C-alpha cells in the first residue's frame, strides 16, 4: 500500500498525486475487471525518477520545510523504536513539569541510559500542551536534573533536539530562561559520562544547545541547526518576514552545511523523500549511527570524555589576528 500523508509540501505534491494514482490503479487491478500491471509499472518508474529529481536538488528553504513537516517523526517515535523499558521522570523540583521536554530512564541495546528530547504535538491540543516544542526554564531544569542523575549512576545520555527555540514569553523570562540554559551548558561541559545529541528536526538557537553540548552531535539529513529561525532572521535583516527563503540560504543551516563547518560529527541519511515517508526505516538508520558512537565513547575514561567535549567546542569557528 502507498504511504498516506495527510499533509504535503508544495514540492511534494506532484509525487504524492502520482503515488495516489498508482494506488488507485492497484485497487482496480485487484478487482479483476481490468489488468493495469504494465501501466502501474510505468508509473512506478516515473515516480521513482521524480522522487530522485525532487530530493536531490532541495533548496535550503525546502529543507527547512521538511524539518518542520507535520508527519515527521518526533522524539516519542524514536523513543518507541530505539529504546526499551522507558520510565519517564517528570518535573524540575522547583516549579512545574514542562511537557516540551520529555525524559527519563531507558535501555539502549540492553544497556541502561538516560534519554531526553524536545517533544512537539501532532494536533492543536497537543501542541498547546507541549508549547510547540519550546521549553520554558522548568523544562531545562528538568533536563539538568536528569543529567545529574545520569552522572551519579554513570549512565550515558542521549538527547534529541527538535525545537524552534526556547520559549521567549514573559513568564519564561521572569523565571530565568537565560540562566536555566546557561547552567545547563555549564553542567553538560563537566559531565563524566558519554553524551550523544541528535538534531532530528529543528535545532533552534540556545533552546537547542541547552541539551546539545555533547561528545557527539549528529543531524538527520533533512534537519536544520541555526542560531535563529529564517523568519526571525529575515525580519531583522530585511525588515520583511516573507524573505525567509533568502535568509535560509544565507544562514547555511542544513545538515550538509553544518557538517562542512565542522560543527557536527555525522549526517545521518533519511529514507528517500524524508523521514516522514518511512519512520521505521529512519529510526533504523539513526539507531545504527547511535550504536556506533555509543560504543566508541564507552571506551573513553571520564576525564577523556570531559576533555573531548571541551576540545570539540573550543575548536569551532575561525579566528584571525590583526
Amino acid at each position: 500500500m502507498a504511504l498516506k500523508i495527510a499533509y504535503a509540501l508544495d514540492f511534494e505534491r506532484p509525487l504524492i498525486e502520482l503515488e495516489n494514482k498508482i494506488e488507485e490503479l492497484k485497487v482496480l487491478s485487484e478487482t479483476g475487471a481490468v489488468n493495469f500491471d504494465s501501466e502501474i509499472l510505468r508509473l512506478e518508474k516515473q515516480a521513482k525518477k521524480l522522487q530522485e529529481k525532487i530530493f536531490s536538488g532541495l533548496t535550503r528553504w525546502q529543507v527547512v520545510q521538511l524539518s518542520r513537516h507535520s508527519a515527521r517523526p518526533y522524539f516519542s517515535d524514536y523513543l518507541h523504536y530505539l529504546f526499551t523499558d522507558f520510565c519517564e521522570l517528570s518535573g524540575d523540583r522547583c516549579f512545574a513539569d514542562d511537557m516540551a521536554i520529555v525524559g527519563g530512564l531507558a535501555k539502549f541495546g540492553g544497556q541502561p541510559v538516560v534519554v531526553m528530547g524536545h517533544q512537539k504535538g501532532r494536533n492543536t491540543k497537543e501542541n498547546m500542551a507541549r508549547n510547540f516544542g519550546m521549553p520554558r526554564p522548568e523544562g531545562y531544569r528538568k533536563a539538568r536534573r536528569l543529567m545529574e542523575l545520569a552522572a551519579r549512576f554513570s549512565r550515558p545520555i542521549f538527547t534529541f533536539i527538535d525545537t524552534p527555540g526556547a520559549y521567549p514569553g514573559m513568564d519564561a523570562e521572569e523565571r530565568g530562561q537565560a540562566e536555566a540554559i546557561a547552567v545547563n551548558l555549564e553542567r553538560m561541559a563537566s559531565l563524566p559520562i558519554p553524551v550523544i545529541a541528535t538534531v532530528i528536526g529543528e535545532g533552534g538557537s540556545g533552546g537547542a544547545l541547552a541539551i546539545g553540548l555533547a561528545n557527539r552531535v549528529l543531524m538527520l539529513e533533512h534537519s536544520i541547526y541555526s542560531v535563529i529561525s529564517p523568519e526571525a532572521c529575515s525580519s531583522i535583516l530585511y525588515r520583511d518576514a516573507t524573505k525567509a527563503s533568502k535568509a535560509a540560504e544565507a544562514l547555511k543551516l542544513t545538515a550538509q552545511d553544518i557538517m562542512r563547518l565542522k560543527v557536527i560529527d555525522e549526517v545521518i541519511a533519511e529514507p528517500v523523500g524524508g523521514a516522514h515517508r518511512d519512520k521505521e526505516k529512519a529510526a533504523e538508520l539513526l539507531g545504527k549511527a547511535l550504536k556506533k558512537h555509543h560504543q566508541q565513547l564507552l571506551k573513553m575514561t571520564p576525564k577523556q570524555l570531559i576533555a573531548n567535549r571541551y576540545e570539540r567546542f573550543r575548536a569551532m569557528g575561525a579566528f584571525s589576528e590583526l
Side-chain angles (χ1 to χ4, degrees):
M1 295 290 286
L3 177 66
K4 297 296 183 182
I5 300 176
Y7 173 76
L9 299 169
D10 288 343
F11 60 88
E12 284 186 301
R13 282 180 185 143
L15 178 61
I16 300 297
E17 289 171 2
L18 188 54
E19 289 175 334
N20 288 339
K21 186 175 181 180
I22 292 169
E23 185 61 28
E24 289 172 6
L25 291 177
K26 285 182 177 179
V27 172
L28 289 173
S29 289
E30 287 172 3
T31 63
V34 184
N35 189 310
F36 290 104
D37 288 351
S38 59
E39 180 67 7
I40 290 170
L41 184 61
R42 185 185 70 80
L43 291 177
E44 284 179 336
K45 289 180 180 178
Q46 185 179 334
K48 185 177 180 181
K49 288 182 180 178
L50 180 59
Q51 188 177 59
E52 291 173 353
K53 179 181 178 182
I54 291 172
F55 290 94
S56 64
L58 294 173
T59 66
R60 289 186 175 91
W61 178 241
Q62 287 173 330
V63 174
V64 171
Q65 292 175 295
L66 269 179
S67 74
R68 299 170 175 172
H69 200 294
S70 60
R72 191 171 177 82
Y74 290 158
F75 168 56
S76 57
D77 297 302
Y78 293 116
L79 183 62
H80 169 73
Y81 285 119
L82 300 177
F83 298 87
T84 59
D85 302 317
F86 178 64
C87 176
E88 184 175 358
L89 300 178
S90 303
D92 66 343
R93 300 297 185 267
C94 294
F95 183 77
D97 181 36
D98 188 343
M99 294 176 67
I101 286 187
V102 174
L105 309 175
K107 287 185 178 179
F108 179 72
Q111 298 181 347
V113 300
V114 168
V115 59
M116 68 188 78
H118 299 103
Q119 181 64 45
K120 295 177 179 177
R122 290 290 178 197
N123 52 49
T124 302
K125 184 178 179 180
E126 286 183 10
N127 268 320
M128 292 299 290
R130 305 280 185 190
N131 200 33
F132 296 86
M134 296 185 291
R136 292 178 168 86
E138 49 269 27
Y140 293 117
R141 289 175 181 136
K142 173 168 67 173
R144 187 177 78 235
R145 185 169 72 86
L146 292 173
M147 293 171 195
E148 291 170 349
L149 181 69
R152 191 177 307 140
F153 293 100
S154 300
R155 291 193 170 198
I157 297 173
F158 291 83
T159 71
F160 294 81
I161 297 166
D162 188 14
T163 180
Y167 183 61
M170 186 179 295
D171 58 331
E173 295 299 328
E174 288 174 343
R175 293 197 294 275
Q177 183 74 289
E179 184 268 351
I181 293 173
V183 172
N184 270 28
L185 297 178
E186 180 185 32
R187 188 67 186 99
M188 290 191 83
S190 62
L191 289 172
I193 49 178
V195 185
I196 302 175
T198 306
V199 183
I200 59 174
E202 292 182 272
S205 192
L209 192 58
I211 62 169
L213 203 154
N215 295 98
R216 297 286 188 274
V217 181
L218 319 177
M219 284 183 73
L220 292 186
E221 182 182 2
H222 299 311
S223 60
I224 60 172
Y225 202 13
S226 177
V227 70
I228 192 171
S229 72
E231 293 86 349
C233 178
S234 175
S235 296
I236 294 170
L237 291 184
Y238 310 122
R239 300 291 190 269
D240 185 356
T242 62
K243 293 184 178 179
S245 59
K246 181 179 178 181
E249 291 297 321
L251 284 168
K252 294 181 172 57
L253 39 58
T254 69
Q256 294 73 22
D257 291 325
I258 304 300
M259 187 69 184
R260 281 192 290 271
L261 293 171
K262 299 181 180 179
V263 173
I264 61 172
D265 301 283
E266 184 177 350
V267 177
I268 302 165
E270 296 183 22
V272 179
H276 62 286
R277 295 180 65 83
D278 191 340
K279 294 181 182 180
E280 192 168 349
K281 181 64 175 178
E284 179 187 336
L285 293 169
L286 174 55
K288 288 180 180 178
L290 292 177
K291 182 179 180 181
K292 177 184 69 175
H293 290 284
H294 182 223
Q295 290 175 341
Q296 291 173 355
L297 293 174
L298 286 176
K299 297 175 183 177
M300 300 172 70
T301 66
K303 286 186 178 179
Q304 287 174 330
L305 288 166
I306 294 171
N308 167 267
R309 212 174 296 127
Y310 175 81
E311 291 164 6
R312 187 187 181 286
F313 282 87
R314 283 287 294 173
M316 291 180 187
F319 305 88
S320 63
E321 295 184 8
L322 299 176

